[in-house]
């Protein structure tokens, strides 16, 4: 079994090099080529560990497809245009998006599909599902050719490695992954130091002793390079995830195995690890690099503004009762405030000067 072996390997590394940052631990647990969570399994769906909006309702990807067709018109109908998805999972969102895009044939014809996917297992599934669109697999955004860009990412940012800092009496210290007296993986604190505090978002630096704050340098770096591209060529990026705004104390790191919460340090590689997204940090990174930001808006509001109910009515026409109920229940899960409608949020990052995309016209949220 691979999982205990990865735990042993991490333990040996800690003995040799000292405690790991949580980001280094997360990256290994998720992406170790031999035993990492995403490297070794198909995590999505009922038989997997968690489910996502596109797996719950086809309306999610379809509405994003229509939203992108509209954005494409607004950026001057470029042909070709790079369509990029970060972390496409089983390819479901993209399949739904492309089907809806086909209602605007010039748009569909202009799309050149690029997928950023770390998992070989999921890449194979995406290739199978999306072969008609001839996807190109790329390691990161930097490998996507220059030019007009439409990018979508659902539940991608939450999978990026985070770091945690804990406020002590005088200073901030980084929470690290070390070993306890029995040699088991355990959280330990790095040395308290003034520089550690500089990594904590400015408004949170004066938090009381004991406060835990998370940062996600990988998300900031990704958004920075994305936003720079959007200042060089017209385009838009839509990111949907669970998270909060404004920046707030954590911790939110969580492990999930077979749809149940688990201990993040128990059997690394066998559970999904993720953290809530700090949408304020995302927005700030995008603005600092010169792009324009709309939202975040709650997912329920976003989907409703894109016409979710109309789409539901169209799909329900001619469907039998069981199918109609399933369609309505699926959309309900995505939109209801008590389910995914409020915790999940959508943010749009656009080339400067573009008006608010469909779905972002209303007021944003300033509280999670
Ligand atoms: N967007 C899909 C899947 C979400 S799960 C959906 O909504 O159903 C997270 C996805 O991101 C998976 O496809 C996972 O393999 C991928 N992923 C996670 N970290 C990644 C990284 N650093 N680089 C590329 N892909 C990554």
């Amino acid at each position: 079994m691979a999982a205990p072996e990865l735990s042993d390997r991490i333990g040996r590394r800690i003995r040799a090099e000292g405690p790991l940052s949580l980001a280094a631990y997360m990256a290994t647990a998720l992406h170790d080529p031999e035993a990492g969570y995403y490297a070794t399994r198909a995590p999505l769906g009922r038989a997997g560990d968690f489910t996502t909006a596109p797996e719950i309702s086809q309306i999610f990807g379809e509405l994003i497809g229509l939203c992108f067709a509209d954005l494409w018109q607004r950026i001057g109908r470029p042909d070709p245009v790079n369509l990029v998805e970060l972390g496409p999972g089983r390819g479901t969102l993209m399949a739904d998006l492309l089907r809806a895009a086909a209602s605007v044939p010039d748009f569909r014809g202009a799309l050149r599909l690029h997928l950023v996917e770390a998992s070989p297992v999921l890449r194979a599934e995406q290739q199978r599902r999306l072969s008609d669109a001839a996807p190109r697999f790329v390691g990161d955004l930097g490998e996507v050719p220059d030019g007009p860009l439409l990018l979508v990412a659902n539940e991608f940012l939450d999978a990026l490695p985070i770091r945690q800092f804990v406020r002590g009496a005088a200073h901030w210290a980084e929470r690290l992954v070390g070993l306890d007296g029995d040699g088991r993986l355990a959280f330990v604190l790095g040395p308290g130091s003034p520089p550690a505090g500089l990594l904590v978002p400015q408004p949170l630096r004066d938090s009381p002793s004991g406060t835990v704050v998370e940062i996600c340098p990988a998300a900031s770096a990704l958004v920075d390079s994305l936003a720079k591209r959007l200042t060089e060529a017209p385009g838009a990026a839509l990111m949907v995830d669970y998270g909060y705004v404004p920046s707030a104390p954590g911790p939110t790191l969580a492990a999930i195995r077979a749809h149940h919460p688990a201990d993040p340090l128990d059997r690394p590689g066998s559970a999904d690890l993720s953290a809530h997204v700090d949408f304020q940090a995302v927005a700030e990174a995008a603005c600092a690099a010169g792009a324009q930001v709309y939202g975040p808006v709650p997912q329920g509001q976003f989907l409703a503004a894109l016409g979710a109910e109309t789409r539901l009515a169209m799909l329900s026409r001619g469907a039998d009762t069981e199918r109609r109920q399933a369609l309505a229940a699926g959309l309900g899960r995505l939109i209801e405030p008590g389910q995914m409608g409020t915790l999940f949020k959508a943010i749009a990052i656009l080339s400067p000067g573009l008006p608010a995309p469909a779905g972002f016209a209303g007021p944003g949220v300033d509280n999670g």
Side-chain angles (χ1 to χ4, degrees), residues 79-85 98 106-115 133-136 144-145 148-150:
D79 184 358
V81 57
N82 295 313
L83 173 63
V84 178
E85 183 170 3
L98 291 170
D106 289 351
F107 171 54
R108 178 65 191 83
L111 295 171
R112 301 291 179 274
L113 182 59
H114 301 268
L115 304 178
R136 264 195 63 203
V144 175
L149 174 75
L150 293 170

Side-chain angles (χ1 to χ4, degrees), residues 75-284:
I75 61 172
R77 305 169 61 92
D79 184 358
V81 57
N82 295 313
L83 173 63
V84 178
E85 183 170 3
L86 306 179
R90 300 178 58 224
T92 308
L93 189 166
M94 189 50 70
D96 295 338
L97 185 160
L98 291 170
R99 194 175 54 253
S103 65
V104 184
D106 289 351
F107 171 54
R108 178 65 191 83
L111 295 171
R112 301 291 179 274
L113 182 59
H114 301 268
L115 304 178
V116 178
E117 174 55 65
S119 155
V121 182
L122 291 174
R123 226 178 288 150
E125 191 158 354
Q126 292 154 17
Q127 175 63 50
R128 214 167 31 244
R129 290 282 292 279
L130 303 170
S131 58
D132 284 354
R136 264 195 63 203
F137 290 93
V138 291
D140 62 33
L141 191 58
E143 290 176 27
V144 175
D146 289 343
L149 174 75
L150 293 170
L151 178 144
V152 63
N154 184 61
E155 289 211 39
F156 179 77
L157 294 177
D158 67 74
L160 297 180
I162 55 141
R163 295 171 69 178
Q164 286 185 347
F165 295 90
V166 184
R167 174 76 203 194
H171 296 300
W172 290 89
E174 184 158 7
R175 179 180 273 173
L176 304 168
V177 178
L179 297 171
D180 67 13
D182 297 326
R184 275 191 303 255
L185 297 176
F187 289 116
V188 298
L189 264 193
S193 74
L198 296 177
L199 294 169
V200 172
Q202 218 275 329
L204 303 178
R205 276 184 208 156
D206 289 331
S207 302
S209 172
T211 304
V212 180
V213 166
E214 290 173 347
I215 62 166
C216 187
S220 302
L222 165 73
V223 171
D224 177 70
S225 62
L226 167 65
K228 284 193 177 118
R229 279 188 75 113
L230 294 174
T231 64
E232 286 156 9
L238 175 69
M239 296 180 165
V240 184
D241 225 307
Y242 48 94
Y244 51 92
V245 64
S247 296
T252 72
L253 174 73
I256 189 149
R257 187 185 293 118
H259 300 268
H260 292 291
D263 173 354
L265 300 186
D266 177 41
R267 289 177 284 151
S270 72
D272 182 44
L273 296 177
S274 69
H276 290 222
V277 173
D278 178 350
F279 279 101
Q280 183 176 341
V282 169
E284 284 175 1

